[in-house]
Amino acid sequence: MIEAKGICKSFGDRKVLDGIDLDIGTGKIFGLLGPSGSGKTTLIKIVTGQLEFDKGSICILGKDVGALTGKDRKRIGIMMDEHGVYERLSCADNLKIFADIYGVPYSKVMPALEQVGLADSARKPAMKLSKGMRARLRLARVFMIEPEILFLDEPTSGLDPMTMRYIHKLILAQKERGCSVFLTTHNMEEAAALCDEVALLNEGRIIDRGAPSEICRKYNHKKRIVIHLKSGGDVELAHGKESALRIAELIEQGDVETIHSSEPTLETVFIELTGRKLDDSDEEVKYA
């Protein structure tokens, strides 16, 4: 659904993207992980044809991105920031404006609001919505057109855990119907829960990629097993056959509360590779 090779982009003397390759299949959720300022939003704007790039090639829906027609773009859903939310209009009227742009019948407005749990707020002005409800309204806007590819730029940023889990269910439902999802996030738990494949982006370069579990196993240098005992203490053992008898003994004695491997998280892998945290707070420069 999306194929990009050697994408480079600079703004003046600042190189934002440097040789980015992508290959995203049908019905897959691809996650681009990186701190603010790493180039995530810029890459989405380039792949969706909103921003020109300096070098490389991009094919989306089987076409060069520069050759996409208006009909092609109606097959693509994009959720970025607060773009396109009209504060004084109701939730339903917000979707009607978007329906007019995409040539979608108004009959799809209420089902889209129901899909994201906003049917009871259809007449409520957008200015009176909570942050979580606004996020769901923006999702309803793109779900309404039933896109084949969905671009989500930090869709749960700043939301409470309950709203985040609700939105995760909505995103997974899009995957189930065969939609390809391109997701940017700095939340490693979100990436691990949703993504079939992730790419770690740092200073404009992809430093590793693969399934979240594969990346974590790849950097599991310690290979240790930690057993938390009912007494409150911990026993740390080598991750190998030599520890089997000791583990069996502790279990037989009824001393074991929990058993965990030392497998790292995506967050710790990113820190190991870059020395930076995924939630670094530097503001990403927003380019038109």
Side-chain angles (χ1 to χ4, degrees):
M1 296 296 276
I2 303 172
E3 185 178 9
K5 294 182 178 179
I7 300 302
C8 296
K9 177 65 178 178
S10 296
F11 293 97
D13 295 332
R14 180 173 180 243
K15 182 166 281 190
V16 180
L17 298 173
D18 188 8
I20 301 296
D21 296 330
L22 297 173
D23 188 0
I24 303 171
T26 303
K28 300 294 183 182
I29 299 180
F30 171 81
L32 188 65
L33 278 67
S36 296
S38 59
K40 302 189 303 295
T41 300
T42 298
L43 183 57
I44 277 193
K45 289 184 176 182
I46 287 173
V47 173
T48 55
Q50 301 176 65
L51 189 63
E52 294 184 353
F53 51 100
D54 303 330
K55 185 180 177 182
S57 63
I58 301 172
C59 283
I60 183 168
L61 295 169
K63 287 187 175 182
D64 183 277
V65 68
L68 292 178
T69 64
K71 186 176 181 181
D72 295 326
R73 295 184 185 279
K74 290 180 180 180
R75 300 162 63 190
I76 301 170
I78 306 172
M79 175 183 166
M80 299 179 72
D81 303 324
E82 295 289 327
H83 179 70
V85 175
Y86 297 94
E87 301 291 338
R88 295 178 180 273
L89 297 183
S90 68
C91 293
D93 286 342
N94 262 278
L95 294 198
K96 286 178 181 178
I97 288 177
F98 202 65
D100 287 338
I101 294 171
Y102 275 79
V104 174
Y106 288 169
S107 59
K108 290 195 174 185
V109 168
M110 283 308 299
L113 290 173
E114 289 170 2
Q115 187 178 1
V116 300
L118 287 179
D120 292 341
S121 300
R123 296 181 180 275
K124 181 179 289 188
M127 68 173 67
K128 295 185 178 181
L129 299 178
S130 67
K131 188 169 184 178
M133 294 171 75
R134 291 172 72 89
R136 285 186 278 149
L137 176 61
R138 288 181 285 133
L139 282 172
R141 192 180 63 199
V142 292
F143 289 173
M144 184 175 59
I145 66 172
E146 299 180 349
E148 295 174 41
I149 302 177
L150 180 57
F151 291 89
L152 302 174
D153 190 18
E154 302 277 0
T156 61
S157 179
L159 300 182
D160 63 89
M162 184 175 293
T163 302
M164 185 181 300
R165 286 193 294 272
Y166 186 86
I167 288 177
H168 287 176
K169 290 181 181 179
L170 297 176
I171 294 171
L172 289 170
Q174 293 297 303
K175 174 187 173 180
E176 288 175 6
R177 72 170 183 82
C179 180
S180 300
V181 181
F182 186 122
L183 169 78
T184 73
T185 183
H186 61 256
N187 185 325
M188 64 88 183
E189 292 181 0
E190 178 167 80
L194 295 178
C195 299
D196 299 291
E197 182 183 17
V198 297
L200 307 182
L201 184 69
N202 185 53
E203 297 180 350
R205 286 180 170 272
I206 292 178
I207 54 176
D208 210 338
R209 68 192 310 154
S213 58
E214 291 174 355
I215 291 178
C216 292
R217 287 195 298 269
K218 179 179 177 181
Y219 293 93
N220 187 11
H221 307 305
K222 290 180 65 176
K223 296 190 181 204
R224 307 289 288 176
I225 295 173
V226 178
I227 301 173
H228 184 70
L229 304 177
K230 291 180 179 179
S231 63
D234 290 330
V235 175
E236 187 171 321
L237 301 170
H239 197 304
K241 294 181 180 179
E242 65 275 14
S243 300
L245 289 177
R246 179 58 175 152
I247 294 171
E249 179 184 338
L250 290 169
I251 292 174
E252 187 175 346
Q253 293 172 353
D255 294 334
V256 175
E257 185 74 32
T258 60
I259 300 177
H260 297 283
S261 72
S262 61
E263 183 176 296
T265 64
L266 289 172
E267 176 79 18
T268 54
V269 169
F270 194 88
I271 292 172
E272 176 182 337
L273 294 176
T274 68
R276 302 178 65 187
K277 292 183 178 180
L278 282 168
D279 60 355
D280 278 356
S281 59
D282 295 341
E283 277 297 312
E284 179 167 355
V285 181
K286 303 294 183 183
Y287 299 98

